[in-house]
Amino acid sequence: MSVMHAERGAAAGMPASAPAAGRPVIAIAGLSLDFTTRDGPVRALADIDLVVEEGAFVSLIGPSGCGKTTLLRVIADLEQPSVGTIRVNGVSPREARLERQYGYVFQAPALYPWRTIERNVMLPLEVMGVPKAERRARAERYLAMVGLEGFGKRHPWQLSGGMQQRASIARALSFDPKLLLMDEPFGALDEIVRDQLNAQLLSLWARTGKTVVFVTHSIPEAVFLSTRIVVMSPRPGRILDVIDVDLPRDRTLDIRETPEFLAVAHRVREGLRAGRSYDD
């Protein structure tokens, strides 16, 4: 963690986060990104330094337009930084993408309506040339893992929004990537369904041991899911704080009422509040 992060944590009355142990899966240093518009250049990200360790669940949180999704897209090689360096599993984002080292879950399920759920999950495997029997076996396994046993022959329009998003997670896991990138996958769902999917995702993460980078606007969601929370400022997106979440990994939704949970949520809220006055 940078000195800036430690100073901001101390200023908020909380201890500075200790770095987590583990092999770096994502390493970002001095990264900034500018977009060119008709009105001139716009800086979306500025001076990003971040390390994500193997097996971590890291949430990116910040106000709308702060660059959370842009940072996720840089990791996925969907956007190119203007300056700085980034390595994903020791290689460039482009190499990681070509080697299919990550799965990406979008805000919307992005399922093809004319394909069954099973065939949507199998799509990356078809592109990779995996034999048909193996494709079906993997689709069945990952649909079961996300609680969609028996729904493989249905079409997306026959499933609820939450079930469709679970199918998109199964698709992202189907080729067993080392890294899972998730861009507000539950943001459009109602609170009850969102809570259920948060609990299921936490269980899935515990079973698979994947490294997860998760974008969210929800403080309770970030605290409940994460081993570490990255708080970002309004545009240009900077990292204001990096918070280790020292809660048991086998969490239930009831943990949200505990003093420990509320203390972490308070620190995130204070970081977001301080970020409103961040002066470029």
Side-chain angles (χ1 to χ4, degrees):
M1 187 189 345
S2 70
V3 174
M4 179 185 73
H5 299 155
E7 289 175 347
R8 289 187 180 274
M14 297 290 294
S17 301
R23 182 182 66 86
V25 172
I26 300 170
I28 302 172
L31 187 145
S32 296
L33 187 150
D34 296 328
F35 288 116
T36 301
T37 70
R38 278 185 274 182
D39 298 325
V42 173
R43 175 147 290 192
L45 298 170
D47 306 318
I48 300 294
D49 296 307
L50 181 65
V51 174
V52 175
E53 293 83 9
E54 186 174 27
F57 195 120
V58 175
S59 286
L60 308 178
I61 191 168
S64 295
C66 75
K68 304 182 297 297
T69 293
T70 300
L71 181 55
L72 199 72
R73 288 174 61 85
V74 169
I75 296 169
D77 192 43
L78 301 177
E79 301 286 355
Q80 306 304 315
S82 303
V83 297
T85 62
I86 175 169
R87 306 293 284 178
V88 179
N89 285 316
V91 300
S92 70
R94 181 178 184 274
E95 291 173 290
R97 174 175 57 80
L98 294 176
E99 294 171 6
R100 298 182 176 86
Q101 293 190 12
Y102 68 82
Y104 200 110
V105 180
F106 295 90
Q107 294 180 20
L111 302 173
Y112 289 111
W114 59 86
R115 296 178 70 107
T116 63
I117 295 300
E118 178 186 63
R119 292 188 62 227
N120 268 285
V121 172
M122 292 192 299
L123 182 58
L125 304 175
E126 291 180 29
V127 174
M128 295 167 64
V130 174
K132 188 173 184 179
E134 175 65 13
R135 294 200 304 263
R136 286 186 169 169
R138 289 201 201 182
E140 182 178 348
R141 179 165 70 249
Y142 285 106
L143 284 172
M145 191 174 289
V146 299
L148 289 178
E149 304 97 324
F151 289 92
K153 302 304 181 184
R154 304 283 184 89
H155 286 81
W157 50 270
Q158 296 176 296
L159 273 60
S160 68
M163 295 171 77
Q164 289 182 37
Q165 198 60 286
R166 278 188 277 161
S168 73
I169 294 171
R171 180 180 58 193
L173 292 171
S174 66
F175 53 95
D176 196 26
K178 298 177 181 179
L179 174 64
L180 191 60
L181 305 176
M182 308 186 76
D183 185 10
E184 291 193 83
F186 310 138
L189 304 175
D190 67 68
E191 186 175 1
I192 295 173
V193 174
R194 188 170 186 158
D195 283 350
Q196 293 171 346
L197 292 183
N198 279 179
Q200 291 172 358
L201 177 59
L202 199 61
S203 175
L204 181 68
W205 169 69
R207 295 201 305 273
T208 63
K210 302 295 183 187
T211 305
V212 181
V213 182
F214 186 93
V215 170
T216 181
H217 279 104
S218 168
I219 294 175
E221 182 172 68
V223 179
F224 178 71
L225 291 173
S226 307
T227 59
R228 177 167 286 189
I229 301 171
V230 177
V231 182
M232 296 183 66
S233 73
R235 195 177 67 194
R238 291 179 167 89
I239 295 178
L240 296 176
D241 201 2
V242 178
I243 304 168
D244 285 326
V245 182
D246 189 18
L247 298 172
R249 290 204 172 195
D250 56 342
R251 306 165 195 175
T252 66
L253 292 170
D254 291 339
I255 202 171
R256 297 180 300 182
E257 308 301 324
T258 64
E260 295 80 7
F261 185 99
L262 295 174
V264 178
H266 175 74
R267 179 170 169 183
V268 176
R269 193 171 290 108
E270 287 297 302
L272 293 171
R273 185 177 295 122
R276 293 176 188 169
S277 61
Y278 196 97
D279 186 6
D280 187 34

Coordinates of all heavy atoms in Angstrom, one line a residue, residues 95-140:
E95 N -1.6 -10.9 -23.5 CA -1.3 -12.3 -23.5 C -2.2 -13.1 -22.6 O -2.6 -14.2 -22.9 CB 0.2 -12.4 -23.0 CG 1.2 -11.9 -23.9 CD 2.6 -11.9 -23.3 OE1 2.9 -11.1 -22.4 OE2 3.5 -12.7 -23.7
A96 N -2.6 -12.5 -21.5 CA -3.5 -13.2 -20.6 C -4.9 -13.4 -21.3 O -5.5 -14.5 -21.1 CB -3.7 -12.3 -19.3
R97 N -5.3 -12.4 -22.0 CA -6.6 -12.6 -22.8 C -6.5 -13.7 -23.8 O -7.3 -14.6 -23.9 CB -7.0 -11.3 -23.5 CG -8.2 -11.4 -24.4 CD -8.6 -10.1 -24.9 NE -7.6 -9.4 -25.7 CZ -7.2 -9.7 -26.9 NH1 -7.9 -10.6 -27.6 NH2 -6.3 -9.0 -27.6
L98 N -5.4 -13.7 -24.6 CA -5.2 -14.7 -25.6 C -5.1 -16.1 -25.0 O -5.4 -17.1 -25.6 CB -4.0 -14.4 -26.5 CG -4.1 -13.1 -27.3 CD1 -2.8 -12.8 -28.1 CD2 -5.3 -13.2 -28.3
E99 N -4.5 -16.2 -23.8 CA -4.3 -17.5 -23.1 C -5.6 -17.9 -22.3 O -5.6 -18.9 -21.6 CB -3.1 -17.4 -22.2 CG -1.8 -17.3 -23.0 CD -0.6 -17.0 -22.0 OE1 -0.8 -17.1 -20.8 OE2 0.5 -16.8 -22.5
R100 N -6.6 -17.0 -22.4 CA -7.9 -17.3 -21.7 C -7.6 -17.5 -20.2 O -8.2 -18.4 -19.6 CB -8.6 -18.4 -22.3 CG -9.0 -18.2 -23.8 CD -9.8 -19.3 -24.4 NE -10.2 -19.1 -25.7 CZ -9.5 -19.3 -26.8 NH1 -8.3 -19.8 -26.7 NH2 -10.0 -19.0 -28.0
Q101 N -6.9 -16.6 -19.6 CA -6.6 -16.7 -18.2 C -7.6 -16.1 -17.3 O -7.5 -16.2 -16.1 CB -5.2 -16.1 -17.9 CG -4.0 -16.8 -18.5 CD -2.7 -16.4 -18.0 OE1 -2.6 -15.6 -17.0 NE2 -1.6 -16.8 -18.7
Y102 N -8.6 -15.4 -17.8 CA -9.6 -14.8 -17.0 C -11.0 -15.0 -17.6 O -11.2 -15.2 -18.8 CB -9.4 -13.3 -16.8 CG -9.6 -12.5 -18.1 CD1 -10.8 -12.0 -18.5 CD2 -8.5 -12.1 -18.9 CE1 -11.0 -11.3 -19.7 CE2 -8.6 -11.4 -20.0 CZ -9.9 -11.0 -20.4 OH -10.1 -10.2 -21.5
G103 N -12.0 -15.0 -16.8 CA -13.4 -15.0 -17.2 C -14.0 -13.7 -16.8 O -13.6 -13.1 -15.8
Y104 N -14.9 -13.2 -17.7 CA -15.5 -11.8 -17.5 C -17.0 -11.9 -17.4 O -17.7 -12.5 -18.3 CB -15.1 -10.9 -18.7 CG -15.2 -9.4 -18.4 CD1 -14.0 -8.7 -18.4 CD2 -16.4 -8.8 -18.3 CE1 -14.1 -7.3 -18.1 CE2 -16.5 -7.4 -18.1 CZ -15.3 -6.7 -18.0 OH -15.4 -5.3 -17.8
V105 N -17.6 -11.4 -16.3 CA -19.0 -11.4 -16.1 C -19.5 -9.9 -16.2 O -19.0 -9.1 -15.4 CB -19.4 -12.0 -14.7 CG1 -20.9 -11.9 -14.5 CG2 -18.9 -13.4 -14.6
F106 N -20.3 -9.6 -17.2 CA -20.8 -8.3 -17.4 C -21.9 -7.9 -16.5 O -22.5 -8.7 -15.9 CB -21.1 -8.1 -18.9 CG -20.0 -8.3 -19.9 CD1 -19.7 -9.6 -20.4 CD2 -19.2 -7.2 -20.3 CE1 -18.6 -9.8 -21.2 CE2 -18.2 -7.4 -21.1 CZ -17.9 -8.7 -21.6
Q107 N -22.3 -6.6 -16.6 CA -23.4 -6.1 -15.8 C -24.7 -6.8 -16.2 O -25.5 -7.1 -15.4 CB -23.6 -4.6 -16.0 CG -22.4 -3.8 -15.4 CD -22.6 -2.3 -15.7 OE1 -23.6 -1.8 -15.9 NE2 -21.5 -1.5 -15.6
A108 N -24.9 -7.0 -17.5 CA -26.1 -7.8 -18.0 C -25.6 -9.2 -18.4 O -24.4 -9.4 -18.7 CB -26.7 -7.1 -19.2
P109 N -26.4 -10.2 -18.3 CA -26.0 -11.6 -18.5 C -25.4 -11.8 -19.9 O -24.6 -12.7 -20.0 CB -27.3 -12.4 -18.3 CG -28.1 -11.5 -17.4 CD -27.8 -10.1 -17.8
A110 N -25.9 -11.1 -20.9 CA -25.3 -11.2 -22.3 C -25.4 -12.6 -22.8 O -24.4 -13.2 -23.4 CB -23.9 -10.7 -22.3
L111 N -26.5 -13.3 -22.6 CA -26.8 -14.6 -23.1 C -27.5 -14.5 -24.4 O -28.3 -13.7 -24.7 CB -27.6 -15.4 -22.1 CG -27.1 -15.6 -20.7 CD1 -28.1 -16.2 -19.8 CD2 -25.8 -16.4 -20.7
Y112 N -27.1 -15.5 -25.3 CA -27.8 -15.5 -26.6 C -29.1 -16.1 -26.5 O -29.3 -17.3 -26.1 CB -26.9 -16.3 -27.6 CG -25.7 -15.6 -28.1 CD1 -24.4 -16.1 -27.7 CD2 -25.7 -14.4 -28.8 CE1 -23.3 -15.4 -28.0 CE2 -24.6 -13.8 -29.2 CZ -23.3 -14.3 -28.8 OH -22.2 -13.6 -29.2
P113 N -30.2 -15.4 -26.8 CA -31.6 -15.9 -26.6 C -31.9 -17.1 -27.4 O -32.8 -17.9 -27.0 CB -32.5 -14.7 -27.0 CG -31.7 -13.9 -27.9 CD -30.2 -14.0 -27.4
W114 N -31.3 -17.4 -28.5 CA -31.6 -18.5 -29.4 C -30.9 -19.8 -28.9 O -31.1 -20.9 -29.4 CB -31.3 -18.2 -30.8 CG -29.9 -17.9 -31.1 CD1 -28.9 -18.7 -31.4 CD2 -29.3 -16.6 -31.1 NE1 -27.7 -18.1 -31.6 CE2 -28.0 -16.7 -31.4 CE3 -29.8 -15.3 -30.9 CZ2 -27.1 -15.6 -31.5 CZ3 -29.0 -14.2 -31.0 CH2 -27.6 -14.4 -31.3
R115 N -29.9 -19.6 -28.0 CA -29.2 -20.8 -27.5 C -29.8 -21.2 -26.1 O -30.1 -20.3 -25.3 CB -27.7 -20.5 -27.4 CG -27.0 -20.2 -28.7 CD -25.6 -19.9 -28.5 NE -24.8 -21.0 -28.1 CZ -23.9 -21.7 -28.8 NH1 -23.7 -21.3 -30.1 NH2 -23.2 -22.7 -28.4
T116 N -29.8 -22.5 -25.9 CA -30.2 -22.9 -24.5 C -29.2 -22.5 -23.5 O -28.0 -22.0 -23.9 CB -30.3 -24.4 -24.5 OG1 -29.0 -25.0 -24.7 CG2 -31.3 -25.0 -25.5
I117 N -29.5 -22.5 -22.2 CA -28.6 -22.2 -21.2 C -27.3 -23.0 -21.3 O -26.2 -22.5 -21.1 CB -29.2 -22.3 -19.8 CG1 -30.4 -21.3 -19.7 CG2 -28.2 -22.1 -18.7 CD1 -30.0 -19.9 -19.8
E118 N -27.5 -24.3 -21.5 CA -26.4 -25.2 -21.6 C -25.4 -24.8 -22.7 O -24.2 -24.7 -22.6 CB -26.9 -26.6 -21.9 CG -25.8 -27.7 -22.1 CD -26.4 -29.0 -22.4 OE1 -27.0 -29.1 -23.5 OE2 -26.2 -30.0 -21.7
R119 N -26.0 -24.4 -23.9 CA -25.2 -24.1 -25.0 C -24.6 -22.7 -24.9 O -23.5 -22.4 -25.4 CB -26.1 -24.1 -26.3 CG -26.5 -25.6 -26.7 CD -27.1 -25.6 -28.1 NE -26.2 -25.2 -29.1 CZ -26.5 -24.3 -30.1 NH1 -27.7 -23.8 -30.1 NH2 -25.6 -24.0 -31.0
N120 N -25.2 -21.8 -24.1 CA -24.6 -20.5 -23.8 C -23.3 -20.8 -22.9 O -22.3 -20.2 -23.1 CB -25.6 -19.6 -23.0 CG -26.3 -18.7 -23.9 OD1 -25.8 -17.7 -24.4 ND2 -27.6 -19.0 -24.2
V121 N -23.5 -21.7 -21.9 CA -22.3 -22.0 -21.1 C -21.2 -22.6 -21.9 O -20.0 -22.4 -21.6 CB -22.8 -22.9 -19.9 CG1 -21.5 -23.4 -19.1 CG2 -23.7 -22.1 -19.0
M122 N -21.6 -23.4 -22.9 CA -20.6 -24.2 -23.7 C -19.9 -23.3 -24.7 O -18.9 -23.7 -25.3 CB -21.2 -25.4 -24.3 CG -21.6 -26.5 -23.4 SD -22.1 -28.0 -24.2 CE -23.4 -27.5 -25.3
L123 N -20.4 -22.1 -24.9 CA -19.9 -21.3 -26.1 C -18.4 -21.1 -26.0 O -17.7 -21.3 -27.1 CB -20.7 -20.0 -26.1 CG -20.3 -19.0 -27.3 CD1 -20.5 -19.7 -28.6 CD2 -21.1 -17.7 -27.2
P124 N -17.8 -20.6 -24.9 CA -16.3 -20.4 -24.9 C -15.6 -21.7 -25.2 O -14.5 -21.7 -25.9 CB -16.0 -20.0 -23.5 CG -17.3 -19.4 -23.0 CD -18.4 -20.3 -23.6
L125 N -16.2 -22.8 -24.8 CA -15.5 -24.1 -25.0 C -15.6 -24.5 -26.5 O -14.7 -25.1 -27.0 CB -16.2 -25.2 -24.2 CG -16.2 -24.9 -22.7 CD1 -17.0 -26.0 -21.9 CD2 -14.8 -24.8 -22.1
E126 N -16.7 -24.2 -27.2 CA -16.8 -24.4 -28.6 C -15.7 -23.6 -29.3 O -15.1 -24.1 -30.3 CB -18.2 -24.0 -29.1 CG -19.3 -24.9 -28.6 CD -20.7 -24.4 -29.1 OE1 -20.7 -23.8 -30.2 OE2 -21.7 -24.6 -28.5
V127 N -15.6 -22.3 -29.0 CA -14.6 -21.5 -29.6 C -13.2 -22.1 -29.4 O -12.3 -22.0 -30.3 CB -14.6 -20.1 -29.0 CG1 -13.5 -19.2 -29.6 CG2 -16.0 -19.4 -29.4
M128 N -12.9 -22.7 -28.2 CA -11.6 -23.3 -27.9 C -11.4 -24.6 -28.5 O -10.3 -25.2 -28.5 CB -11.5 -23.4 -26.4 CG -11.4 -22.0 -25.7 SD -11.6 -22.2 -23.9 CE -10.1 -23.1 -23.5
G129 N -12.5 -25.2 -29.1 CA -12.3 -26.5 -29.8 C -12.4 -27.7 -28.8 O -11.9 -28.8 -29.2
V130 N -13.0 -27.5 -27.7 CA -13.1 -28.6 -26.7 C -14.1 -29.6 -27.2 O -15.2 -29.2 -27.8 CB -13.6 -28.0 -25.3 CG1 -13.8 -29.2 -24.3 CG2 -12.5 -27.1 -24.8
P131 N -13.8 -30.9 -27.2 CA -14.7 -31.9 -27.7 C -16.1 -31.8 -27.1 O -16.3 -31.4 -25.9 CB -14.0 -33.2 -27.3 CG -12.6 -32.9 -27.2 CD -12.5 -31.5 -26.7
K132 N -17.1 -32.2 -27.8 CA -18.5 -32.0 -27.4 C -18.8 -32.7 -26.1 O -19.5 -32.1 -25.2 CB -19.4 -32.6 -28.5 CG -20.9 -32.3 -28.3 CD -21.7 -32.8 -29.5 CE -23.2 -32.4 -29.4 NZ -24.0 -32.8 -30.6
A133 N -18.4 -33.9 -25.9 CA -18.7 -34.6 -24.6 C -18.1 -33.8 -23.4 O -18.8 -33.7 -22.4 CB -18.2 -36.0 -24.7
E134 N -16.9 -33.3 -23.6 CA -16.3 -32.6 -22.5 C -17.0 -31.3 -22.3 O -17.2 -30.8 -21.1 CB -14.8 -32.3 -22.8 CG -14.1 -31.5 -21.8 CD -13.9 -32.1 -20.4 OE1 -14.2 -33.3 -20.3 OE2 -13.6 -31.3 -19.5
R135 N -17.5 -30.6 -23.4 CA -18.2 -29.4 -23.2 C -19.5 -29.6 -22.4 O -19.8 -28.8 -21.5 CB -18.6 -28.8 -24.6 CG -17.5 -28.4 -25.5 CD -17.9 -27.4 -26.6 NE -19.0 -27.9 -27.4 CZ -18.8 -28.5 -28.6 NH1 -17.5 -28.7 -29.1 NH2 -19.8 -28.9 -29.4
R136 N -20.2 -30.7 -22.7 CA -21.4 -30.9 -22.0 C -21.1 -31.3 -20.5 O -21.9 -30.9 -19.6 CB -22.2 -32.1 -22.7 CG -22.9 -31.7 -24.0 CD -23.7 -32.7 -24.5 NE -24.5 -32.2 -25.6 CZ -25.2 -33.0 -26.5 NH1 -25.2 -34.3 -26.3 NH2 -26.0 -32.4 -27.4
A137 N -20.1 -32.0 -20.3 CA -19.8 -32.4 -18.9 C -19.4 -31.1 -18.1 O -19.8 -31.0 -16.9 CB -18.6 -33.4 -18.9
R138 N -18.7 -30.2 -18.7 CA -18.3 -29.0 -18.0 C -19.5 -28.1 -17.8 O -19.7 -27.5 -16.7 CB -17.2 -28.2 -18.8 CG -15.9 -28.9 -18.8 CD -14.8 -27.9 -19.1 NE -13.6 -28.4 -19.6 CZ -12.5 -27.7 -19.9 NH1 -12.6 -26.4 -19.8 NH2 -11.4 -28.3 -20.4
A139 N -20.4 -28.0 -18.8 CA -21.6 -27.2 -18.6 C -22.4 -27.7 -17.5 O -22.9 -27.0 -16.6 CB -22.4 -27.1 -19.9
E140 N -22.6 -29.0 -17.4 CA -23.4 -29.6 -16.4 C -22.8 -29.4 -15.0 O -23.5 -29.1 -14.0 CB -23.5 -31.2 -16.6 CG -24.4 -31.9 -15.6 CD -24.5 -33.4 -15.9 OE1 -24.1 -33.8 -17.1 OE2 -25.0 -34.1 -15.1

